[in-house]
Amino acid sequence: MLFHIFSSQDERRKFGGSYFIEIQYCSLDPGTAMEQIVSVDAITHWKDDSLYIYGDDEEAFASQYGDVLTDGTYNNGQSGIIDTCGINYYAPHQIHVIVKRIEEMRPSSHQMLLAWLKKVREHNGFYVLGL
C-alpha cells in the first residue's frame, strides 16, 4: 500500500517517525496570496486528515504519480514536476485535471487518493510536503 492514514499522530510515529511525504489539505482562505500559501511559515506538518507516503516508497510514489502531480507551485514560486523534498501546492482549479489523470492512469493505490481528493473541495487546494 502506497498511502497511509493514521488514526493518531502517535500511531504515525510508531510506524515511521517523521520519515514521510505528507499530502495535506490547504486550510488557508481562498484569496490568500500565493507567497503566503507556499511559505514555510504557513505549513504545519502532521495533520490527522493527511495522507502519508513512507519515505522508503518515495521512488515508487514519484514514478507512479510524477505525471499526475505536475505543475505544483514550489516555495520559490516556480512550478514543475513534483519535488519530493519540498513544498508543492495544488490550487483548487487544478484538482479536476489531477483527478482525470488519476482515473486515466490508475497508478498504485489510486482509489485511496481519489477518495481523499473528494474532500479537497472543502479546502483551498492541497499540498504535497516532501521529506
Side-chain angles (χ1 to χ4, degrees):
M1 179 167 50
L2 191 58
F3 299 108
H4 301 274
I5 295 175
F6 299 106
S7 59
S8 70
Q9 291 309 305
D10 189 50
E11 180 184 356
R12 176 199 44 86
R13 282 188 291 275
K14 287 178 183 174
F15 182 91
S18 62
Y19 189 45
F20 291 97
I21 295 169
E22 181 178 4
I23 302 178
Q24 180 186 106
Y25 297 119
C26 175
S27 59
L28 297 173
D29 292 330
T32 301
M34 185 60 69
E35 295 80 26
Q36 184 177 352
I37 291 172
V38 296
S39 167
V40 173
D41 295 334
I43 306 298
T44 304
H45 293 276
W46 318 125
K47 302 281 185 160
D48 287 338
D49 59 355
S50 292
L51 283 180
Y52 295 93
I53 299 105
Y54 189 61
D56 287 351
D57 295 327
E58 172 190 12
E59 220 173 277
F61 173 69
S63 70
Q64 293 179 47
Y65 285 87
D67 290 335
V68 172
L69 296 170
T70 59
D71 298 321
T73 302
Y74 308 140
N75 174 257
N76 66 4
Q78 301 294 313
S79 62
I81 64 171
I82 192 165
D83 177 2
T84 58
C85 293
I87 295 171
N88 304 265
Y89 168 71
Y90 301 90
H93 71 272
Q94 295 175 279
I95 307 308
H96 177 73
V97 172
I98 291 169
V99 168
K100 185 176 178 183
R101 286 181 189 151
I102 292 170
E103 290 173 343
E104 289 172 355
M105 298 174 74
R106 303 173 61 85
S108 175
S109 301
H110 69 278
Q111 302 93 336
M112 193 170 196
L113 182 56
L114 286 174
W116 187 87
L117 284 170
K118 285 182 181 179
K119 295 180 183 175
V120 82
R121 291 182 188 98
E122 302 167 16
H123 302 276
N124 187 15
F126 70 97
Y127 298 102
V128 175
L129 304 172
L131 295 168

